[in-house]
Amino acid sequence: MLEIKDLHASINGKEILKGINLVVKPGEVHAIMGPNGSGKSTLSSVLVGNPAFEVTKGSISFYGKDLMQLSPEDRSHEGIFLSFQYPVEIPGVSMVNFMRAAVNEQRKYRNQLSLSASEFLKLMREKRAVVEMDNKLANRSVNEGFSGGEKKRNEIFQMAMLEPRLSILDETDSGLDIDALRIVAQGVNTLKSAETSTIVITHYQRLLDYIKPDIVHVLYNGRIVKTAGPELALQLEERGYDWIKEEVAE
Amino acid sequence: MNPEQQYIDLFVRYEAMICQHSAGVLNAQRAKAFASFEQSGFPDKKQEQYKYTDIAKLFEPDYGLNLNRLDIPVNPHEVFKCDVPNMSTALYFVVNDTFYKEQLPKSFLPEGVLLGSLKEMAESHPDLVKNYYGQLADSSKDAVTAVNTMFAQDGFFIYVPDWVVVEKPLQLINILRSTVDFMVNRRVLIVLGKGAQLRLLVCDHTMDDVNFLATQVCEVYAGEGSVLDLYEMEETNMSSTRISNMYVRQEADSNVLINGVTLTNGSTRNRTEVVLAGKGAEISLNGMAIADKDQHVDNSTFIDHAASDCTSTELFKYVLDDESTGAFAGKVLVRPGAQKTSSQQTNRNLCATRKARMFTQPQLEIYADDVKCSHGATVGQLDETSLFYMRSRGIPEREARLLLMFAFVNEVIDNIRIDALRERLHLLVEKRFRGELNRCKGCENCK
């Protein structure tokens, strides 16, 4: 499980996270909401070890391991997965080669044998079905020329391939039409189990209609200022964030 | 002694011996080449065309030559296995500059195709060879061509008559072999008649650890409607210098693809000049270099759009590591009247360290108004966002870098029109990036 204590982080000397405390237990779905610029994406970047961000204080432990000591690749091997808000296009690297490298590196880390070509293709086929992804997309370069919806589906496909213990969905709903949203959400729900946890970062209630959170947090100005049950998301949808800002100001 | 003088002295002293062991057609060009070399010497770096490679310096060391044509005791079939197997059984060898005549592949060549030693062909078919030899390679315009013309005694010749299609790709292996520092002047002549078709892969290897200087002048005639694929792959060692001048003349509707890959080398300078002489001719000129340590790779191209409706596409990509240097200078000339020209030039480069240097210089001269010409050049590093994305999926940084570098050069490999070669190159490039590809030295390594 994930335990974040008094986490401070900055980029280019500017402090964005100012003391985050968060505990996520196996099987739980947490939603992190908040207005623009509150630090939501920074939190997800810091969790996966993006070198652009500097952690200045605090700790993150994941199943007892100190995350700060782990490289981004080892965090992935430990079972942390981020569905990027803006998935990166990598021309010339095919999805197949990309995923094969990712899956086999994970297996190596876990002292498992590499998958044979046919085992791997079988796995690809199986997981593609989770997000109704076309075979053609799998043969193309990573995200190159994919539509916004296809990119997000591809993120969930990668998540299905890597079977993480903790999935962080960063604004996965942004830019998705209703059908794509449904497919993506269904994919996430299919992959969920009592052992895995999910952090859903979102602006809107919309995605939470499909992926039901157990706990909702509001992030504002680098801190979690409110934590409640799913009803909080509905409240935010109705009233916006101003009342939160006012509460904080008081 | 300046670098020119030793070649002048050498020629004056051994001219008779050089001629004695060569053919009349080749000998006929020597005096003129000598006169222009004596006058102009080696180019300095102030000359635009040689801005990025110090030619005089490359010629400066004292190399041995085999002007007396002593037999080099080697059976390439026994000692050599190329990195591109399964291509075909049509494998030929040139040891230094001598065509290897033993154990030739069983004849499958279509009737009329002439293939073999340039010297022997010049003796047996003097009129044919005379028509082409030295006609494109003007030794008054280039010192390297002059030196090569002065000293070249042999090399490789292939002639494909009108309408003849050589179905099987041919593979020619150039092997450098010597026990002392050594200079080789090789000459190649490729002639395709009207509608003829040929695919040729030429691989450069070195078998010994001594210093080599190999000059090569290659003249290519692509007749009307002919199709030629010419792949050149260099897998030599750190102590090898390759200076190659290639001259191509294309008649109407001919289609030529040239792809030069520098996998391992010491110093390499490739000059390619293409004249699109007939309407509708098409050239695809590609190159790729992977360099590290203090390797040097310089590709200089000149495409002369002399007729209308011709197409030229250039794609050159370099990956430079350590303190290696790369250069690409590409000139495109569109002559008056060469309307409907389509020309595209692309040069993209990755510098993996701060000490690696890339020089790139596109040059366009356009004297026609209804043309489409573009060029683009970039020098950069690997994309950090892509790297992080891959790492976040569990791919270690080193591996992610390799995948990105591999992806970067793939575009050039994908232009290869022989499947077996393309697949093999994918593998070789990967091995090269992983440092598993041994530099050529005694070809046991390549087995």
Side-chain angles (χ1 to χ4, degrees), chain A residues 137-192:
Chain A
L137 287 186
N139 288 325
R140 285 184 12 209
S141 291
V142 178
N143 290 322
E144 194 188 27
F146 286 29
S147 71
E150 283 167 345
K151 282 182 184 166
K152 293 298 172 75
R153 262 199 266 176
N154 191 17
E155 293 292 289
I156 306 306
F157 162 69
Q158 293 172 37
M159 180 176 141
M161 292 291 289
L162 295 171
E163 297 183 332
R165 292 193 279 187
L166 171 67
S167 306
I168 306 157
L169 309 179
D170 189 1
E171 306 269 359
T172 297
D173 51 338
S174 67
L176 286 191
D177 63 60
I178 196 73
D179 288 330
L181 183 70
R182 186 183 44 77
I183 293 170
V184 163
Q186 270 173 6
V188 173
N189 287 329
T190 313
L191 300 170
K192 223 163 58 181

Side-chain angles (χ1 to χ4, degrees), chain A residues 48-51 72-73 76-77 81-82 84 88 90-93 98 102 105 143 155 158, chain B residues 383-386 388-399 403-404 406-408 410:
Chain A
V48 293
N50 188 330
E73 45 269 40
S76 165
H77 297 149
F81 181 90
L82 170 65
F84 282 64
V88 183
I90 314 178
V93 177
F98 175 60
E105 287 295 342
N143 290 322
E155 293 292 289
Q158 293 172 37
Chain B
D383 180 35
E384 291 295 327
T385 23
S386 304
F388 178 68
Y389 187 70
M390 296 172 93
R391 293 178 71 191
S392 81
R393 297 302 182 244
I395 302 172
E397 187 173 2
R398 194 186 116 82
E399 193 67 26
L403 276 171
L404 287 178
F406 193 40
F408 179 77
N410 257 350

Side-chain angles (χ1 to χ4, degrees), chain B residues 3-23:
Chain B
E4 284 86 3
Q5 199 56 46
Q6 60 171 323
Y7 294 94
I8 291 169
D9 293 349
L10 189 71
F11 185 77
V12 170
R13 192 161 162 205
Y14 291 106
E15 188 182 357
M17 186 194 280
I18 295 168
C19 292
Q20 188 197 336
H21 295 285
S22 189

Side-chain angles (χ1 to χ4, degrees), chain B residues 222-242:
Chain B
E224 199 179 311
S226 62
V227 182
L228 171 70
D229 287 18
L230 181 56
Y231 304 99
E232 286 199 296
M233 198 163 102
E234 183 175 0
E235 277 187 84
T236 58
N237 62 17
M238 295 293 291
S239 54
S240 294
T241 298
R242 169 190 153 106

Side-chain angles (χ1 to χ4, degrees), chain B residues 112-115 118 128-133 135-136 156-162 164 166 188-194 196-198 200 218-223 226-228 247 249:
Chain B
V113 174
L114 298 172
L115 179 155
L118 176 64
L128 177 70
V129 176
K130 206 173 109 192
N131 274 340
Y132 299 103
Y133 182 81
Q135 302 303 307
L136 291 178
F156 179 73
F157 176 78
I158 181 162
Y159 170 74
V160 185
D162 292 356
V164 170
V166 182
V188 179
L189 190 51
I190 299 169
V191 181
L192 270 73
K194 273 185 198 167
Q197 293 193 19
L198 174 69
L200 178 65
C218 175
E219 293 172 277
V220 177
Y221 295 82
S226 62
V227 182
L228 171 70
Y247 301 87
R249 183 184 164 92

Side-chain angles (χ1 to χ4, degrees), chain A residues 1 13 22 24-25 35 47 54 57 81 88 96 100 108 162 189 216 228 230:
Chain A
M1 76 169 171
L22 180 68
V24 180
K25 297 196 178 100
L47 286 175
E54 194 195 348
K57 200 179 161 193
F81 181 90
V88 183
V96 175
R100 185 164 31 223
K108 202 197 284 176
L162 295 171
N189 287 329
V216 177

